[in-house]
Amino acid sequence: MKDPMDEILQDAPECSMEFTLLNRMGMSIAEIYAVPMTDSDWGVDYLEDEKALEDGDDREILLDAQQCWRYWKLKLVDEYGGESIWEAIDIAQVSEVMVYYDDEGDLCVDFA
């Protein structure tokens, strides 16, 4: 049986391979990684040659892939080295990703 996480979008020309990351964490994001669910390596840091994404700032992320994979995983590393990972993001349904801490102090992410 085929794993649904291996799905490649057939309408690749219409596939959105970008999103806006909104940092509302109250701290800087030092590194951003986004790769297809099938990848075992996190690849390159999308902030590699730029300074950190400060609290309150937004960044356009243009995903780098050979094919238009439907499901992605996202890893953020904060200014203190803490890592947060979200998996099975349906990239065809996402144009914005907002990360923030809720009133209980839990890190949350909203996909729009």
Side-chain angles (χ1 to χ4, degrees), residues 13-67:
E14 297 177 19
C15 176
S16 174
M17 295 293 289
E18 62 185 86
F19 62 90
T20 302
L21 179 64
L22 306 137
N23 180 7
R24 305 298 182 263
M25 293 173 55
M27 67 180 73
S28 298
I29 297 173
E31 300 171 32
I32 300 171
Y33 301 91
V35 295
M37 283 295 298
T38 57
D39 286 10
S40 58
D41 180 15
W42 281 105
V44 298
D45 173 12
Y46 279 89
L47 293 177
E48 184 176 45
D49 295 328
E50 301 176 38
K51 62 182 185 173
L53 181 61
E54 301 297 328
D55 179 51
D57 287 349
D58 307 337
R59 178 75 44 88
E60 295 291 322
I61 305 293
L62 178 59
L63 300 174
D64 182 25
Q66 298 296 320
Q67 296 177 309

Side-chain angles (χ1 to χ4, degrees), residues 67-85:
Q67 296 177 309
C68 191
W69 294 98
R70 181 168 196 149
Y71 295 100
W72 287 67
K73 53 189 173 183
L74 173 68
K75 178 170 87 169
L76 303 179
V77 180
D78 67 34
E79 63 187 83
Y80 303 108
E83 295 182 358
S84 300
I85 297 172

Side-chain angles (χ1 to χ4, degrees), residues 74-105:
L74 173 68
K75 178 170 87 169
L76 303 179
V77 180
D78 67 34
E79 63 187 83
Y80 303 108
E83 295 182 358
S84 300
I85 297 172
W86 295 273
E87 295 186 346
I89 302 166
D90 184 347
I91 202 62
Q93 304 296 317
V94 173
S95 62
E96 274 188 2
V97 176
M98 182 171 63
V99 291
Y100 61 96
Y101 282 96
D102 66 12
D103 294 337
E104 287 79 42

